[in-house]
Amino acid sequence: MPFSSGSMDLRTAMNGQAISTDLVIIGAGPVGLFAVFEAGLLGLRCHLVDNLDKIGGQCAELYPDKPIYDIPAVPRCTGQELIDRLLEQIRPFEPTFHLREQAERLERLDNGRWRVTTSAGTVFEAPAVAIAAGAGSFVPRRLPLPEAEQFEGRSLFYAVRRSEAFYGHRIVVAGGGDSALDWVLALQPHAASIALVHRRDEFRAAPSSVERMRRLAAEGALRLIIGQIVGLEGRDGELEAVRIKTQDGKEERVACDRLLAFYGLKMELGPIAHWGLDLDKGQIKVDTEAFETNLPGVFAIGDICTYPGKLKLILSGFHEAALMCQKAFRYCRPNERLIFRYTTSSTDLQKKLGVI
Amino acid sequence: MPTIRVFDREGKLHVLDAPVGWSVMEVIREAGLPIEAACGGCCACATCHVYVDPEWLDKLEPPHADETLMLDEAFQVQDNSRLSCQIKVTPELDGLTVTLAPEF
Ligand SMILES: Cc1cc2nc3c(=O)[nH]c(=O)nc-3n(C[C@H](O)[C@H](O)[C@H](O)COP(=O)(O)OP(=O)(O)OC[C@H]3O[C@@H](n4cnc5c(N)ncnc54)[C@H](O)[C@@H]3O)c2cc1C
Ligand code: FES
């Protein structure tokens, strides 16, 4: 399946070329994926945007190994298996994925089409947009200390954009998962000093990384501190030290000018809140005929939409995707007639699916 | 019906009816108290973090490995930290007292 890299899209965007397609789908969770299938049966091409680095939304990010029992005709599958099967199902329609990009802006063009612009500068133009954004974008959890804000983006980071920006610094990394361990190992050779802070002496990260980290700690090349960050010190956005409460209840001050904190991800509605959509408690109001929002041609499906009786289940999202595509077709092919057909009997649909 | 006692983040006490078999998170959420519980009780988010009154701590089933791992992603974790979605209400837990952990 074609993937695009952020930099390539930036180039296209700078050339002033927008990607023209039928349907832009915001969110590559299970519902966004199934929308590709329903759109594909109607002959519509799709581009999907997701700011995660992987496909699959909550299923892949929050519970890849947990079982799901309520997908019709699939008595049991894990979150990741569901996503893998959806990917197999939509493969004939060759959707393009734009991962690690957040849809930032939605604008109506004079010709009635919609323009979607992402954080990486990718620009799409399409007659229809499907927002399948779940509970919002997955974003890193911030350090919940009142003083954290003044350091964010200057000396306190929740992700690494350019690792060189950390070279030569006194770094503290907080967390016990793969992100924390991977960055400790990657930055250690280039840091003036580096410490890893985690609340207990056990790590979720891959065993091989944990072993390498422990070896470096034993050699004195990095400091492993078991404890929790309770305060930050510094001024004008520049960190000077973090205060860590260690297991024995004592507080320790660790000099540092770069802090990288990995406390998992949370979901945040993000830019969607400013698109002029009718919202109800952070969800987008839709009609139940076509799951269209108050903006004509902009649809909302899956966990992000709300209507009387809405259930946040994957199966409801699949239904919403199917109905939504019928109306989206009318925006994409105003001069064509849509005929209802079954995949079982229609040679046209079977050709699209590549089975005959 | 058992009741559980919940201190919110302003320190106000709420005494809540707690149907046996529900999780403590569900009791708190249904009462409309501010608990995010983003994953709906699947031990996948750590946003139902509470502090259990020390007197009640050893009356609870000890946490599973899953819960301990998930607590790594919470903040200001203490010895009496638990994920409330992993505590099932039983008649023995009548009077259980917890405090909502800071939101983040
Ligand atoms: C632990 C757990 C267990 C569950 N078990 C079940 C179950 O057994 N059965 C069931 O039916 N449901 C279950 N659910 C619910 C189910 O996972 C959701 O209903 C489903 O994931 C919703 O799919 P979605 O595609 O609407 O959104 P999501 O899966 O939330 O995907 C939305 C995607 O959109 C992206 N996004 C949002 N905003 C933007 C933006 N501006 N730009 C780019 N990308 C954006 C997000 O990063 C995300 O990847 C469970 C949920 C959890 C957490
Ligand atoms: S509700 Fe998510 S871990 Fe308890």
Side-chain angles (χ1 to χ4, degrees):
Chain A
M1 233 167 274
F3 280 84
S4 85
S5 83
S7 57
M8 188 193 79
D9 288 322
L10 198 57
R11 216 166 45 229
T12 348
M14 286 189 315
N15 288 343
Q17 280 171 8
I19 299 172
S20 182
T21 189
D22 291 319
L23 183 62
V24 178
I25 301 175
I26 298 169
V31 177
L33 294 178
F34 194 65
V36 172
F37 183 81
E38 290 294 329
L41 289 181
L42 308 183
L44 305 180
R45 282 269 303 149
C46 300
H47 280 255
L48 298 97
V49 186
D50 202 303
N51 68 327
L52 277 181
D53 57 0
K54 55 166 146 335
I55 296 170
Q58 296 175 44
C59 301
E61 180 60 38
L62 293 179
Y63 60 106
D65 304 318
K66 291 207 163 101
I68 308 175
Y69 299 101
D70 58 352
I71 305 298
V74 182
R76 193 203 130 106
C77 70
T78 65
Q80 189 58 49
E81 279 163 3
L82 181 81
I83 297 306
D84 292 344
R85 288 180 192 195
L86 282 165
L87 281 173
E88 185 189 334
Q89 194 168 24
I90 66 177
R91 183 160 301 131
F93 303 119
E94 298 179 346
T96 309
F97 289 93
H98 304 263
L99 300 178
R100 292 194 199 84
E101 294 186 40
Q102 186 175 48
E104 274 182 353
R105 286 209 308 268
L106 174 72
E107 296 150 297
R108 180 110 201 223
L109 302 173
D110 289 340
N111 59 10
R113 287 159 64 96
W114 291 97
R115 175 186 286 154
V116 177
T117 311
T118 76
S119 51
T122 313
V123 181
F124 303 95
E125 285 181 16
V129 174
I131 304 175
S137 315
F138 279 103
V139 293
R141 269 179 202 284
R142 303 171 49 224
L143 202 60
L145 293 172
E147 67 269 35
E149 199 180 333
Q150 54 174 308
F151 300 109
E152 285 170 351
R154 302 188 64 176
S155 52
L156 160 59
F157 299 89
Y158 303 112
V160 179
R161 283 257 162 77
R162 269 186 344 111
S163 47
E164 292 80 8
F166 292 81
Y167 289 6
H169 286 283
R170 292 169 300 166
I171 308 171
V172 170
V173 177
D178 281 310
S179 315
L181 276 272
D182 289 352
W183 282 114
V184 160
L185 295 174
L187 294 173
Q188 182 273 330
H190 309 286
S193 71
I194 191 160
L196 174 66
V197 189
H198 184 48
R199 86 175 172 92
R200 55 194 190 110
D201 201 7
E202 269 170 70
F203 295 84
R204 231 169 342 118
S208 59
S209 328
V210 177
E211 200 184 304
R212 274 180 64 202
M213 180 276 292
R214 288 204 192 277
R215 238 189 351 254
L216 288 171
E219 291 165 7
L222 78 82
R223 246 194 101 190
L224 173 59
I225 306 172
I226 305 303
Q228 298 186 72
I229 296 179
V230 290
L232 307 177
E233 291 173 18
R235 64 170 107 151
D236 302 330
E238 295 303 331
L239 270 173
E240 287 157 17
V242 297
R243 288 202 314 280
I244 297 171
K245 196 165 149 200
T246 50
Q247 260 177 331
D248 49 17
K250 290 208 192 78
E251 234 180 76
E252 187 181 331
R253 193 173 173 279
V254 178
C256 112
D257 47 30
R258 287 288 179 276
L259 171 59
L260 254 173
F262 296 105
Y263 289 103
L265 300 171
K266 69 180 286 184
M267 295 168 92
E268 233 173 49
L269 188 57
I272 295 172
H274 313 293
W275 292 352
L277 293 157
D278 252 351
L279 298 178
D280 180 17
K281 296 196 198 86
Q283 281 156 322
I284 304 171
K285 288 206 236 173
V286 291
D287 67 64
T288 47
E289 192 183 317
F291 303 92
E292 194 166 13
T293 68
N294 59 312
L295 307 176
V298 178
F299 301 84
I301 53 175
D303 281 13
I304 192 80
C305 76
T306 185
Y307 51 84
K310 166 70 184 171
L311 280 181
K312 286 191 195 177
L313 286 177
I314 295 165
L315 82 92
S316 320
F318 288 172
H319 161 84
E320 292 153 13
L323 267 58
M324 176 278 286
C325 285
Q326 299 287 314
K327 180 91 183 263
F329 180 88
R330 287 202 252 145
Y331 287 103
C332 298
R333 306 276 185 275
N335 303 320
E336 286 175 37
R337 248 183 78 204
L338 189 59
I339 314 164
F340 178 79
R341 287 184 179 134
Y342 290 121
T343 54
T344 318
S345 48
S346 157
T347 48
D348 173 49
L349 294 183
Q350 290 171 0
K351 271 196 200 122
K352 285 181 180 147
L353 287 165
V355 292
I356 53 169
Chain B
M1 191 185 308
T3 58
I4 61 171
R5 297 152 46 85
V6 182
F7 287 98
D8 65 23
R9 297 188 187 93
E10 283 71 52
K12 189 164 172 267
L13 175 66
H14 304 259
V15 180
L16 309 176
D17 285 339
V20 170
W22 285 30
S23 74
V24 169
M25 177 278 281
E26 288 165 336
V27 175
I28 297 172
R29 190 183 57 188
E30 293 308 302
L33 295 183
I35 190 160
E36 190 185 332
C39 79
C42 295
C43 198
C45 74
T47 57
C48 62
H49 179 195
V50 295
Y51 304 121
V52 174
D53 183 305
E55 285 201 12
W56 282 91
L57 210 51
D58 34 327
K59 299 191 178 89
L60 300 179
E61 297 270 331
H64 281 287
D66 266 8
E67 183 182 338
T68 314
L69 274 179
M70 209 56 232
L71 269 172
D72 283 346
E73 295 198 357
F75 200 71
Q76 296 175 14
V77 178
Q78 307 174 359
D79 292 341
N80 59 341
S81 284
R82 291 292 304 261
L83 295 180
S84 59
C85 71
Q86 300 302 304
I87 309 173
K88 276 255 165 346
V89 176
T90 59
E92 293 72 42
L93 292 187
D94 188 20
L96 171 70
T97 307
V98 302
T99 302
L100 301 184
E103 205 165 16
F104 81 112

